[in-house]
Amino acid sequence: MSHPLDRAVWNALTTRLSSFTTPESDTRAVRIDPEVGVFLSAADASRDSRARLTELARLHPGAGLVERADGPMAEVLPDGITVDRRIALVQMTAEALTPSKAPSPAFEPLTAADAPAMLALATLTRPGPFRSRTRELGPFIGIRRDGELVAMAGRRLRVDGFTELSGVCTHPDHRGKGYAAALSRAVVGEILASGEAAFLHAFADHPATIAFYQSLGFEVRAPMVYTILAD
């Protein structure tokens, strides 16, 4: 039996995040609402599932698929849809946080009123796919300086026993102050306190990012591939 994180997108969008899928999604393939995210996933490699995957990709262009790189679904892609690029990721998990004596800066919950500022910060820093309603997958928390949102972190995918840390980013003018670590620790701490483990996805060719999350208590679990389809 496969691990629930091997197919985190499919398992999330067919269970705990099913309310965020498009009306055309069904048991063969699912697409998250384009205003919320980019994720697209098929149930399996069958002809029916691939056909539905292709239909959803055409209905909602610019989708992205995340699958285990060495798994059977890595090459199950929509037919006739151009692949813009494929990006190697690593999936990391944490069941405990490493000790830290660093003081935590003040942070606050982010609300619907913060949506434009969150999108602007994510667009500037590019922590991963972030859309106008991605914040609804949260909650998210953030740090302000002089009234400006300069750092944030939150949650995204949820599967049985695991919640994803995501959207971790800091404005370039405020890096090096420990904001990303503090916010990540706060989010992961709440996930662990709920009885779940935390997970995340990081670019495989960003060793500094991987080392940063390892310093918090994450370990690399599996290689993943992020396939971005053309608009």
Side-chain angles (χ1 to χ4, degrees):
M1 185 174 181
S2 65
H3 192 284
L5 292 183
D6 287 347
R7 306 212 61 217
V9 171
W10 173 261
N11 289 329
L13 295 185
T14 56
T15 57
R16 297 169 68 183
L17 298 185
S18 60
S19 62
F20 290 100
T21 58
T22 63
E24 305 87 4
S25 299
D26 59 24
T27 57
R28 296 168 294 170
V30 290
R31 171 67 157 96
I32 197 169
D33 185 319
E35 294 185 359
V36 178
V38 302
F39 293 129
L40 173 70
S41 186
D44 51 44
S46 68
R47 180 179 298 178
D48 282 350
S49 291
R50 190 188 290 265
R52 192 56 175 161
L53 187 75
T54 301
E55 291 173 5
L56 291 175
R58 288 176 176 158
L59 280 170
H60 307 286
L65 300 88
V66 177
E67 297 287 350
R68 182 159 175 150
D70 55 357
M73 295 297 290
E75 301 303 323
V76 178
L77 304 174
D79 295 318
I81 305 294
T82 300
V83 171
D84 182 57
R85 53 194 165 129
R86 306 195 82 188
I87 302 172
L89 306 176
V90 291
Q91 186 182 80
M92 307 180 72
T93 58
E95 296 183 357
L97 285 165
T98 57
S100 175
K101 295 182 180 179
S104 178
F107 58 83
E108 60 188 75
L110 299 178
T111 69
D114 299 304
M118 295 171 70
L119 181 59
L121 181 60
T123 301
L124 174 67
T125 58
R126 303 176 67 181
F130 201 95
R131 299 293 181 264
S132 60
R133 292 177 50 212
T134 299
R135 56 158 297 278
E136 296 178 21
L137 298 173
F140 279 76
I141 56 176
I143 295 172
R144 298 183 195 279
R145 290 294 177 262
D146 298 323
E148 178 187 7
L149 180 66
V150 299
M152 69 177 182
R155 299 161 175 79
R156 187 170 60 180
L157 298 178
R158 291 172 170 82
V159 302
D160 186 23
F162 298 87
T163 293
E164 183 185 25
L165 169 68
S166 185
V168 181
C169 54
T170 304
H171 191 286
D173 293 343
H174 294 269
R175 289 175 180 163
K177 301 177 181 178
Y179 293 168
L183 293 177
S184 296
R185 285 182 176 277
V187 172
V188 172
E190 291 184 357
I191 293 171
L192 299 179
S194 74
E196 296 190 332
F199 76 104
L200 59 83
H201 294 99
F203 295 116
D205 62 351
H206 288 193
T209 300
I210 295 171
F212 165 73
Y213 286 117
Q214 288 174 326
S215 74
L216 301 182
F218 283 88
E219 297 180 352
V220 174
R221 179 189 168 270
M224 310 293 286
V225 59
Y226 174 34
T227 303
I228 303 174
L229 304 178
D231 290 336

